[in-house]
Amino acid sequence: FGKGVPAGAPVPALARSSSHNPEMFGCRAKDLKLNIKQVWWPAFRGGYAKIVTMDCLRPAYGPRSAAWGTTPLDSTRELSPSNFFRNDPRSPIERQVGACAALEGVRYCAGNPCIVVSEGRGHSCEQVCASQSLACAEAFATNGSCPASGSVGSRCTHVFPVGADPVCRCELPPKPRRCGLLPHARARCAGDPCRVLVSPMDFSTGLQTKYRDCNEYCGTANLTCIAQHDVVSHSCKVRGDLPCGQAFPEQPQVAMEQQVGMAGRGPKAHVVASEAGFFERLWHMDTLRTRRNNSEGLEAYVHDAQAHRVCVCTGASAA
């Protein structure tokens, strides 16, 4: 399923939701096509056998996928949040900051903790979401059943009767949610979508990013910088405060240590997205017996690419 991936591009993988192990690309059930061919086979009763093959119309992830054209604001329409590593460039912004982790309910739907089956206590979905400082996006009167795709929802302000068990879809309030459009996020600090450790490298191309300062960085999403912090490399630990117009430190030329291969091209290594954000390497070395420590990020495989700046854009507190 690696077709369409440029040679040498460190394309991130999906996470297998049950174990969080990397799963390169994969295929969604709705994109699978079964091909059934009947052939003459005298050993079978009736003299015929069916040969069944299966094709994937397009991969679940990668340049040819539907998810590739999404942003952290709408990627859940194509893939469950549990299929993304947390700081993948297209990971839903609510997943990146764990916004829905504390939502209370009977269970959640479609692998999405922001779609929760609420206990029927006579509340509206607006109240359910507001309990975790979230906004209600949709409400469904399905009496505890997860809504089917394309279901028409109810008003978020509708108060459901006791025992009704509505389904509520919550999301970040509009102002901080806009920060999901901020690109090249090495991490979102302190669970704040607008407080971004800016990556020195583009996730998909491996090229260095070219932001001059936090004013320019925030401006890429039509936001305004309200603070810039100098931080310990590759962390959100603040060492000092800087003006928004303070220039980023220059980055040395980045050199990737490994050659990235894709399925069908004799790969030596796959680059995949990590739960901590950024990329990690799975060495093939003829077999898959050797793995690097999953706690390491791309900095272990890139020479001198250092993330030293946290930008705080509008929608966040400067404190």
Side-chain angles (χ1 to χ4, degrees), residues 44-280:
F44 279 72
R45 180 181 297 179
Y48 290 92
K50 289 181 179 179
I51 297 178
V52 180
T53 60
M54 187 167 58
D55 294 325
C56 183
L57 300 180
R58 60 181 176 181
Y61 204 71
R64 293 176 57 238
S65 70
W68 206 250
T70 64
T71 72
L73 304 189
D74 59 9
S75 55
T76 53
R77 74 169 187 247
E78 300 297 344
L79 283 174
S80 163
S82 61
N83 287 128
F84 291 94
F85 285 98
R86 190 178 64 204
N87 287 334
D88 183 280
R90 295 166 182 82
S91 175
I93 187 59
E94 284 78 15
R95 168 155 172 72
Q96 290 189 44
V97 299
C100 300
L103 271 177
E104 293 186 2
V106 178
R107 65 182 183 281
Y108 57 83
C109 300
N112 189 346
C114 291
I115 304 177
V116 63
V117 179
S118 179
E119 294 184 76
R121 297 177 178 174
H123 294 159
S124 67
C125 281
E126 184 178 60
Q127 292 171 308
V128 171
C129 297
S131 68
Q132 297 300 322
S133 300
L134 299 171
C136 173
E138 288 180 293
F140 299 93
T142 53
N143 196 28
S145 300
C146 292
S149 177
S151 298
V152 178
S154 303
R155 289 181 294 109
C156 284
T157 54
H158 175 73
V159 177
F160 293 91
V162 174
D165 289 354
V167 176
C168 306
R169 183 169 75 85
C170 305
E171 63 184 23
L172 288 165
K175 191 174 180 180
R177 197 167 195 269
R178 286 179 56 202
C179 292
L181 295 176
L182 289 166
H184 304 122
R186 171 68 174 82
R188 309 271 176 174
C189 299
D192 188 338
C194 303
R195 190 180 297 268
V196 179
L197 177 61
V198 182
S199 171
M201 175 176 284
D202 182 272
F203 287 88
S204 298
T205 66
L207 300 176
Q208 291 185 25
T209 55
K210 301 295 184 181
Y211 308 111
R212 291 192 296 264
D213 52 37
C214 282
N215 282 332
E216 184 174 291
Y217 176 74
C218 294
T220 60
N222 294 318
L223 300 172
T224 302
C225 173
I226 57 177
Q228 180 178 176
H229 303 302
D230 180 36
V231 296
V232 176
S233 181
H234 302 302
S235 77
C236 293
K237 186 177 180 181
V238 175
R239 293 193 297 195
D241 299 329
L242 300 169
C244 284
Q246 176 76 39
F248 288 173
E250 290 189 10
Q251 294 289 339
Q253 182 64 37
V254 174
M256 294 299 293
E257 287 186 355
Q258 78 277 15
Q259 175 184 1
V260 180
M262 290 298 159
R265 295 211 290 265
K268 287 293 182 184
H270 288 313
V271 178
V272 300
S274 74
E275 181 67 18
F278 249 76
F279 299 112
E280 297 168 342

Side-chain angles (χ1 to χ4, degrees), residues 16-35:
R16 190 184 296 272
S17 58
S18 59
S19 63
H20 293 291
N21 289 326
E23 182 179 77
M24 287 302 294
F25 303 114
C27 192
R28 300 180 301 176
K30 66 180 181 180
D31 290 326
L32 288 173
K33 179 185 177 183
L34 290 178
N35 305 300

